[in-house]
Amino acid sequence: MRCYLHAYLLCSAFTLCSILYVCSQLASTSEGDREGKAAARSSHNEGDAVRKIPGLSKRGFFYSVRCKSLSVSYWNPYWRLPADVCGANWKLKSAAKEPKNESSHLAVVACGPRLEETVTMLKSAVLFSKKPLHFYIFAEDELHDGFRNAVSFTFTIYPILFPEENASEWKKLFKPCASQRLFLPLILKQVDSLLYVDTDILFLRPVEDIWSLLSQFNVNQLAAMAPEHEEPRIGWYNRFARHPYYGKTGLNSGVMLMNMTRIRGKFFKNDMTAVALQWGEILMPLLQKYKLNITWGDQDLLNIIFHHNPESLYMFPCQWNYRPDHCIYGSNCQQAEEEGVFILHGNRGVYHNDKQPAFRAVYEARNCSTPLNLAVSLLQPLEAALQTTTHTYCGRSSHLFTKRLKESIKSV
């Protein structure tokens, strides 16, 4: 009987010690995790960098911070992991809702003879918007004074900024300075979200309407773009591309809405290495691998990235990026047919030549209008000009250009 009692007491004591040891380990790990997270936040706020990205500039925005990778499992719950392990932050946050009075942040890149076109785009953004707008203009040095003289609203102007070691290669990719947009998340570190647009964009409704799409992103999505084509039979990527591309017909990056905080924090899957890479790490290797196979420069690189990370993209309809391709062979943007064109994209120089007179008519009418009486100074001359373009397919669809514009004018 004494032996049984002695054994029972030993087992009880051992069990109690085990429980106390596990509890102390949990408490220690939890406390260390809290201290580690606090230190990590402090380090992030101070802009500390733990290692340099090979082949990129010594400037601060071309550095990156990496953390250790360790999977979370039943035997490795997130609260037991060290503070410097990525898995400690495995919980996905719900999609952030846009504050009602938040400013919209818009960026554009202008090089060469693009001053007038860019100013016209900026004025179209201001014309219908009711919420504050903050503009970031990236332009060649010789254009800076032109913007200051032509624009009366507030904006921030930047020089063209590329990684020092590869600046000439990036600048000549596709069109001068076009690839600047790829580096905006690394340059504008203080900006959480951003709407990038090409210079040949005209807003036909308030900027805050497309900005509100940020609140529709799910927990994985970090950028939004429109398809390159709606009709695969006339698609470029699915017929001619020599590289991976997104979806069935690829993406057009002329209008690109970004949650840049998520872009900076994301590790992107790729076809160059088994290791996922951050935004600042993936760009130059992609260019080196595909530069002989890409036609549309930075847009092709974005297609490759989102081909391998499709869960990260929010696709918005073609009416938010309406181009000649949507009407040149007959109308093929169903959403525009139903609700009108929201953003007009005059790519291929159609604002300045006679190939698509309906697009040119919108640009010239907007360029000559005054905000005092838009129904008289903008809408009436535009409708008259569009009547002269019905000999073209886009001219026959030109009622879509004014459908939403009329509502925007009424709301001013």
Side-chain angles (χ1 to χ4, degrees):
M1 183 69 178
R2 253 185 249 165
C3 291
Y4 287 122
L5 180 59
H6 183 64
Y8 173 78
L9 291 174
L10 282 175
C11 290
S12 299
F14 177 77
T15 302
L16 181 59
C17 289
S18 299
I19 293 172
L20 290 173
Y21 174 76
V22 170
C23 290
S24 67
Q25 287 293 100
L26 285 171
S28 173
T29 303
S30 178
E31 184 65 28
D33 190 41
R34 284 194 296 272
E35 292 173 359
K37 287 180 180 177
R41 284 194 298 269
S42 174
S43 175
H44 176 74
N45 291 337
E46 293 169 5
D48 291 341
V50 296
R51 72 180 182 89
K52 184 182 176 183
I53 304 304
L56 295 179
S57 171
K58 295 178 181 178
R59 297 180 182 180
F61 55 78
F62 290 117
Y63 279 73
S64 176
V65 176
R66 300 286 302 253
C67 56
K68 298 177 183 176
S69 181
L70 190 64
S71 61
V72 177
S73 67
Y74 177 83
W75 300 109
N76 254 334
Y78 75 93
W79 63 83
R80 294 295 307 277
L81 298 178
D84 61 346
V85 170
C86 299
N89 300 316
W90 71 279
K91 287 187 175 180
L92 294 175
K93 297 179 180 178
S94 59
K97 299 297 181 183
E98 177 201 359
K100 290 184 178 179
N101 296 318
E102 182 185 1
S103 297
S104 300
H105 296 257
L106 188 149
V108 65
V109 178
C111 285
R114 296 280 183 163
L115 176 62
E116 178 191 284
E117 187 175 86
T118 307
V119 170
T120 302
M121 180 277 293
L122 294 171
K123 290 181 177 179
S124 77
V126 171
L127 186 62
F128 300 122
S129 294
K130 299 178 179 64
K131 293 184 179 181
L133 291 172
H134 193 109
F135 296 104
Y136 305 86
I137 302 173
F138 289 79
E140 291 175 312
D141 294 345
E142 53 267 32
L143 298 180
H144 288 200
D145 287 340
F147 280 110
R148 294 188 183 99
N149 295 331
V151 176
S152 58
F153 41 83
T154 303
F155 63 91
T156 307
I157 195 161
Y158 296 82
I160 300 301
L161 295 168
F162 288 117
E164 291 176 351
E165 290 89 343
N166 334 98
S168 60
E169 192 166 6
W170 283 114
K171 189 169 184 177
K172 67 183 181 182
L173 184 65
F174 185 45
K175 292 181 179 179
C177 308
S179 58
Q180 179 72 87
R181 86 186 83 183
L182 296 176
F183 298 94
L184 297 180
L186 306 175
I187 299 171
L188 301 176
K189 282 191 171 182
Q190 78 283 10
V191 179
D192 175 68
S193 296
L194 187 73
L195 173 64
Y196 166 85
V197 295
D198 285 348
T199 60
D200 50 9
I201 291 294
L202 290 174
F203 290 91
L204 304 183
R205 65 181 298 174
V207 174
E208 55 263 26
D209 291 347
I210 187 171
W211 187 260
S212 68
L213 296 180
L214 286 166
S215 65
Q216 298 185 25
F217 284 17
N218 65 28
V219 293
N220 296 311
Q221 291 164 339
L222 48 77
M225 285 178 273
E228 173 68 14
H229 287 281
E230 300 299 310
E231 175 51 67
R233 287 176 296 178
I234 60 172
W236 192 92
Y237 282 105
N238 56 294
R239 292 188 298 159
F240 305 118
R242 295 179 295 159
H243 57 79
Y245 57 88
Y246 178 88
K248 294 182 178 180
T249 59
L251 299 168
N252 184 281
S253 59
V255 180
M256 184 177 179
L257 186 63
M258 295 177 277
N259 183 320
M260 299 209 298
T261 299
R262 291 185 180 181
I263 290 176
R264 287 186 288 264
K266 167 81 174 176
F267 287 80
F268 293 87
K269 300 184 292 292
N270 60 87
D271 58 1
M272 300 171 293
T273 172
V275 178
L277 301 174
Q278 287 190 295
W279 191 257
E281 300 172 303
I282 200 171
L283 298 177
M284 194 61 203
L286 269 183
L287 178 61
Q288 294 299 333
K289 178 174 181 176
Y290 287 106
K291 62 183 177 182
L292 299 179
N293 300 91
I294 59 178
T295 303
W296 309 113
D298 53 304
Q299 178 173 290
D300 290 346
L301 297 182
L302 289 168
N303 267 280
I304 296 169
I305 290 172
F306 288 105
H307 169 85
H308 295 292
N309 301 271
E311 74 287 351
S312 297
L313 187 79
Y314 178 96
M315 182 76 76
F316 52 64
C318 48
Q319 69 212 82
W320 291 107
N321 187 352
Y322 190 92
R323 286 160 281 119
D325 290 322
H326 293 121
C327 55
I328 193 171
Y329 302 113
S331 182
N332 60 60
C333 178
Q334 183 62 39
Q335 292 86 351
E337 290 281 352
E338 296 171 0
E339 301 177 290
V341 175
F342 297 166
I343 294 178
L344 196 69
H345 186 180
N347 64 340
R348 301 177 186 170
V350 295
Y351 292 154
H352 313 291
N353 58 44
D354 296 323
K355 292 182 179 179
Q356 296 300 329
F359 280 77
R360 182 169 183 171
V362 178
Y363 178 79
E364 292 180 346
R366 177 61 199 91
N367 211 20
C368 298
S369 66
T370 62
L372 298 178
N373 188 341
L374 291 173
V376 174
S377 68
L378 175 58
L379 186 58
Q380 291 177 9
L382 175 57
E383 289 180 321
L386 290 174
Q387 287 298 315
T388 68
T389 69
T390 53
H391 61 285
T392 66
Y393 278 114
C394 288
R396 292 169 198 164
S397 299
S398 61
H399 61 285
L400 305 179
F401 298 1
T402 58
K403 188 173 185 177
R404 177 64 206 191
L405 181 62
K406 291 177 182 178
E407 297 179 27
S408 297
I409 290 174
K410 289 178 183 178
S411 68
V412 173

